[in-house]
Amino acid sequence: GAGVSQSPSNKVTEKGKDVELRCDPISGHTALYWYRQSLGQGLEFLIYFQGNSAPDKSGLPSDRFSAERTGGSVSTLTIQRTQQEDSAVYLCASSLLGGGGRVAKNIQYFGAGTRLSVL
Amino acid sequence: AQSVSQHNHHVILSEAASLELGCNYSYGGTVNLFWYVQYPGQHLQLLLKYFSGDPLVKGIKGFEAEFIKSKFSFNLRKPSVQWSDTAEYFCAVNLGGSQGNLIFGKGTKLSVKP
């Protein structure tokens, strides 16, 4: 696609429910990143994928958070047993890194985000 | 831990005023530097970037930023702001050569009065 696509754009859920957030990166981008944007916290890194593997999961706040990427493309961020403090905008970014064997600069392009509200 | 500081939380200017937003980072090694902008209701967009070479970089919409290595700074400037520049501005750092994540400042909200 032309840009990073995220769905849904808005998600309202009840405390304790599981949610899945989807990211479709720019075609051909090998790296994919998840961030969280919340009031007072700015943008926090969650997890990064290179291809289908996740070299860095250090930003995931708890074991309720997980993510996967399949086929080197679409990624899903799953939050289990949601809590009110999980309410935030979840942003996905992608970057062309080493695609096709080339060395490329880490320039990240962002999607519009998913606004998650946990009631 | 590495961090990025943006000095101003909210800046209010009149149209045609000059703008400078501060950004400092804490990392002694090579860095790649970015400014992103988020207009109301829109997603984060890349404004400009620095990887190497001329420390004065020019971006879209008349913005520029200067990398001063000795001061660990990457301040954003614009000689004359417009109402349409009203947005939130984020400074971000990627540790040099890294494929990993960006470290963001907390953002500066710019309000331009017409």
Side-chain angles (χ1 to χ4, degrees), chain B residues 15-26:
Chain B
E15 276 194 315
S18 64
L19 170 72
E20 181 160 2
L21 301 182
C23 173
N24 286 90
Y25 61 91
S26 62

Side-chain angles (χ1 to χ4, degrees), chain A residues 27-31 33 50 94-100 102-109:
Chain A
S27 178
H29 279 195
T30 57
Y33 307 81
Q50 177 64 20
S94 70
S95 172
L96 178 62
L97 281 176
R102 294 166 291 163
V103 175
K105 295 174 179 173
N106 186 358
I107 301 172
Q108 297 182 24
Y109 298 91

Side-chain angles (χ1 to χ4, degrees), chain B residues 9-81:
Chain B
H9 178 65
H10 191 185
V11 173
I12 303 172
L13 295 173
S14 297
E15 276 194 315
S18 64
L19 170 72
E20 181 160 2
L21 301 182
C23 173
N24 286 90
Y25 61 91
S26 62
Y27 181 69
T30 302
V31 291
N32 299 325
L33 299 156
F34 305 82
W35 277 96
Y36 283 84
V37 59
Q38 190 169 29
Y39 297 103
Q42 296 188 27
H43 64 282
L44 274 170
Q45 299 173 40
L46 183 65
L47 199 54
L48 48 77
K49 60 192 181 294
Y50 173 81
F51 283 85
S52 63
D54 188 344
L56 183 63
V57 293
K58 295 190 184 297
I60 59 171
K61 302 185 181 184
F63 286 90
E64 64 178 31
E66 185 175 12
F67 170 48
I68 303 179
K69 188 174 181 179
S70 61
K71 295 185 178 181
F72 301 91
S73 70
F74 190 56
N75 292 355
L76 181 71
R77 300 194 293 248
K78 185 170 184 178
S80 175
V81 295

Side-chain angles (χ1 to χ4, degrees), chain A residues 9-76:
Chain A
S9 55
N10 283 283
K11 177 72 176 178
V12 180
T13 190
E14 294 178 350
K15 179 181 172 181
K17 301 281 190 185
D18 298 351
V19 295
E20 284 189 353
L21 312 180
R22 176 188 167 107
C23 173
D24 199 343
I26 293 171
S27 178
H29 279 195
T30 57
L32 185 148
Y33 307 81
W34 284 98
Y35 295 86
R36 179 168 71 173
Q37 185 177 24
S38 51
L39 284 175
Q41 296 297 321
L43 279 129
E44 303 171 281
F45 166 71
L46 298 177
I47 187 171
Y48 142 63
F49 288 91
Q50 177 64 20
N52 291 335
S53 56
D56 190 351
K57 306 179 184 179
S58 62
L60 294 177
S62 76
D63 58 7
R64 296 187 295 106
F65 287 71
S66 63
E68 65 175 13
R69 189 179 186 196
T70 55
S73 182
V74 172
S75 176
T76 302

Side-chain angles (χ1 to χ4, degrees), chain A residues 66-89:
Chain A
S66 63
E68 65 175 13
R69 189 179 186 196
T70 55
S73 182
V74 172
S75 176
T76 302
L77 177 69
T78 301
I79 309 173
Q80 296 179 308
R81 305 181 303 281
T82 53
Q83 303 294 313
Q84 288 183 332
E85 61 263 28
D86 299 335
S87 296
V89 177

